[in-house]
Amino acid sequence: MAKRSFPLAKAYTLLEPGPVVLLTTASGRQTDVMVQSWHLMLEFEPPLVGCVVSPRNHSYGLLKASRECVINIPSVEIAEQVVACGNSSGRNVDKFERFGLTPVPAKVVGAPLIQECFASLECRVVDTGMVAKYGLFVLEVVKAWMDPAQKDARTLHHRGRGRFMVAGETIQLKSKMK
């Protein structure tokens, strides 16, 4: 695996400003891959992420049962696989097998990382107070991974109805942030 340990204090940099992600879940022998664009960073340290998962999604039950998941961040190179995952249900198909995604065992959680994604955030559910009303799970990132060869990966950003924007040029500006 080309991914290397990544500082938890910088995990928020992998999600900002909100790329489409592949949320992997596992409970018992079942695993699923869910395409998600409804997420947000809530805190720097410990890194907390809010993720909306609808009860209509197969991943919802797996996430509620296991209380852990992996947020995998794909680049534009696997856009077709990402969209195909989003257009199918894990109730009916093994998305890893069907769409050529490689599950890789995580270090801390039971859900797998996806080899083809340039970064992965292993997460545990720390707050379910808004799940019943909004489907909003609060996750703590407990381990972060990033392929150093893809430092400036081009990410997908969902714009609705099959339209995506691809993140463009990276620029460096003065900042007082750590």
Side-chain angles (χ1 to χ4, degrees):
M1 185 167 100
K3 294 177 187 173
R4 301 238 166 81
S5 186
F6 190 74
L8 294 180
K10 293 185 179 183
Y12 77 95
T13 65
L14 300 173
L15 290 178
E16 206 46 43
V20 172
V21 300
L22 295 173
L23 185 81
T24 53
T25 50
S27 182
R29 296 179 142 200
Q30 288 189 318
T31 61
D32 194 28
V33 179
M34 180 186 127
V35 178
Q36 183 187 56
S37 57
W38 289 69
H39 53 73
L40 67 149
M41 289 303 306
L42 297 171
E43 185 59 79
F44 294 106
E45 289 186 72
L48 297 179
V49 181
C51 286
V52 176
V53 181
S54 169
R56 295 181 306 251
N57 293 100
H58 182 57
S59 290
Y60 179 87
L62 300 176
L63 183 58
K64 278 193 77 168
S66 68
R67 297 184 60 87
E68 54 188 31
C69 62
V70 177
I71 298 171
N72 297 278
I73 307 169
S75 62
V76 69
E77 286 77 15
I78 65 165
E80 296 289 331
Q81 291 159 284
V82 170
V83 172
C85 282
N87 287 330
S88 61
S89 172
R91 286 185 186 88
N92 308 319
V93 64
D94 177 339
K95 295 182 188 182
F96 286 102
E97 185 178 315
R98 169 79 54 91
F99 304 116
L101 299 173
T102 310
V104 176
K107 275 276 202 242
V108 181
V109 302
L113 282 64
I114 297 176
Q115 173 91 25
E116 291 76 14
C117 292
F118 78 92
S120 299
L121 307 174
E122 297 183 40
C123 301
R124 288 203 174 113
V125 175
V126 293
D127 188 341
T128 58
M130 292 185 277
V131 170
K133 190 169 184 177
Y134 301 108
L136 180 66
F137 291 83
V138 177
L139 311 172
E140 180 178 347
V141 179
V142 295
K143 183 75 179 162
W145 302 93
M146 185 174 151
D147 179 350
Q150 293 192 50
K151 186 170 96 171
D152 291 320
R154 295 173 57 221
T155 54
L156 298 168
H157 300 261
H158 188 243
R159 300 190 72 187
R161 302 196 179 275
R163 294 183 63 229
F164 296 85
M165 177 183 72
V166 177
E169 178 183 356
T170 299
I171 61 171
Q172 182 71 46
L173 303 172
K174 285 187 176 187
S175 173
K176 292 182 180 181
M177 297 285 294
K178 293 180 183 180

